[in-house]
Amino acid sequence: MSAIHVETTGVGPPLVLLHGWAMHGGLFASLVPRLARRFRVHQVDLPGHGHSAALDAPTLDAVVDAIDAKFRDSTQPLSVLGWSLGGTVALRWARLQPGRVARLILVGTTPRFVAGPDWPHAMAPEVLARFGDELAVACRLTLQRFLTLQIQGGDAGRRALGVLREQIFARGEPNPVALGASLAIFAAADLREDARRVDAPACLIAGACDRLTPPAASAWLAQAMPDARFVEIPGAAHAPFLSHPVAFDAALDGCLHAS
């Protein structure tokens, strides 16, 4: 395993793709051919995922720093597309390195994954804690259940679930310890104040039926961020780029070419 594994395709301004929990950069394979005609596309494996090594002390800021180190020599500012956990990483990256991240496309992204008295747009803390407990006992079964949750509520889930099941073990067995550390990042993250201070233009894309990161969370981000807009994809759940590719491509085009 390399420290941070990145696959690069295409020519043009840089576009970084950050995947969600338990997955890897290969999940974006269906997007790359079209994007690579206009961008130099970088598919990143997050630390402890895919071909990237786990971090010794995995925190959200450590993840951001490890990824940022791969792009510090870039002569152009970056557009960053982050999905789910990747969206959390992208949002924090833009806050910590505003000169590096010039545009954000946040898909199925929330500033806070767990619900609280002042944040209803999330899962209950005990649900996330149960995932951690089950992960330590039966990693594969827990991951398969998580994939099913990602498509629940949508109207084209079978297509998305097939891709997710095909990809999740495509780069080897995920490391349960690294996945548990990423769950801890989920549990601790609260980027609501960060969102208000990110000046990079942003586009929030959400599935209308997403039960993991409800669209209300993306809508909140779009209102809180200084320069952001919100696109909701009807009928889609947590992975709209897999379940509703035509609608997602149209939304993504609007995000990438917005002034």
Side-chain angles (χ1 to χ4, degrees), residues 209-256:
C209 305
D210 191 341
R211 295 180 181 175
L212 283 178
T213 56
S218 292
W220 184 95
L221 276 172
Q223 291 184 336
M225 298 175 76
D227 184 4
R229 63 192 189 97
F230 173 61
V231 181
E232 186 173 272
I233 298 182
H238 190 57
F241 57 97
L242 299 178
S243 63
H244 293 69
V246 175
F248 181 83
D249 285 352
L252 182 57
D253 280 344
C255 294
L256 290 171

Side-chain angles (χ1 to χ4, degrees), residues 63-127:
V63 170
V64 168
D65 188 62
I67 295 170
D68 183 67
K70 297 292 290 188
F71 296 97
R72 284 175 189 159
D73 294 334
S74 177
T75 59
Q76 296 177 284
L78 309 169
S79 293
V80 182
L81 185 158
W83 170 59
S84 197
L85 175 60
T88 300
V89 174
L91 182 58
R92 184 62 175 163
W93 192 7
R95 177 72 182 97
L96 295 178
Q97 297 292 342
R100 192 113 55 226
V101 178
R103 182 181 299 276
L104 289 169
I105 302 99
L106 303 177
V107 183
T109 296
T110 176
R112 176 171 167 161
F113 283 95
V114 295
D118 61 344
W119 185 249
H121 317 303
M123 68 178 73
E126 57 269 21
V127 174

Side-chain angles (χ1 to χ4, degrees), residues 9-232:
T9 311
V11 294
L15 173 61
V16 179
L17 309 182
L18 302 178
H19 60 82
W21 184 72
M23 300 304 298
H24 52 78
L27 185 68
F28 295 116
S30 62
L31 301 180
V32 172
R34 191 170 62 86
L35 291 174
R37 292 197 291 267
R38 296 172 291 158
F39 298 93
R40 188 162 177 77
V41 181
H42 304 279
Q43 296 166 259
V44 175
D45 286 357
L46 296 177
H49 294 70
H51 295 320
S52 289
L55 299 176
D56 292 334
T59 64
L60 179 56
D61 285 2
V63 170
V64 168
D65 188 62
I67 295 170
D68 183 67
K70 297 292 290 188
F71 296 97
R72 284 175 189 159
D73 294 334
S74 177
T75 59
Q76 296 177 284
L78 309 169
S79 293
V80 182
L81 185 158
W83 170 59
S84 197
L85 175 60
T88 300
V89 174
L91 182 58
R92 184 62 175 163
W93 192 7
R95 177 72 182 97
L96 295 178
Q97 297 292 342
R100 192 113 55 226
V101 178
R103 182 181 299 276
L104 289 169
I105 302 99
L106 303 177
V107 183
T109 296
T110 176
R112 176 171 167 161
F113 283 95
V114 295
D118 61 344
W119 185 249
H121 317 303
M123 68 178 73
E126 57 269 21
V127 174
L128 191 62
R130 187 161 59 247
F131 263 109
D133 294 341
E134 293 172 353
L135 192 68
V137 175
C139 182
R140 271 187 171 254
L141 287 175
T142 303
L143 292 177
Q144 294 289 0
R145 188 165 74 85
F146 180 71
L147 297 187
T148 302
L149 287 176
Q150 294 189 48
I151 57 92
Q152 282 185 352
D155 61 12
R158 183 171 297 180
R159 176 195 302 153
L161 185 58
V163 176
L164 290 167
R165 284 176 170 168
E166 177 184 316
Q167 286 291 334
I168 191 166
F169 301 116
R171 296 189 177 177
E173 194 82 17
N175 182 332
V177 174
L179 295 183
S182 295
L183 280 180
I185 290 174
F186 275 151
D190 187 345
L191 301 185
R192 287 177 289 178
E193 191 56 38
D194 278 17
R196 296 185 177 98
R197 300 185 180 188
V198 170
D199 292 328
C203 185
L204 287 298
I205 303 176
C209 305
D210 191 341
R211 295 180 181 175
L212 283 178
T213 56
S218 292
W220 184 95
L221 276 172
Q223 291 184 336
M225 298 175 76
D227 184 4
R229 63 192 189 97
F230 173 61
V231 181
E232 186 173 272

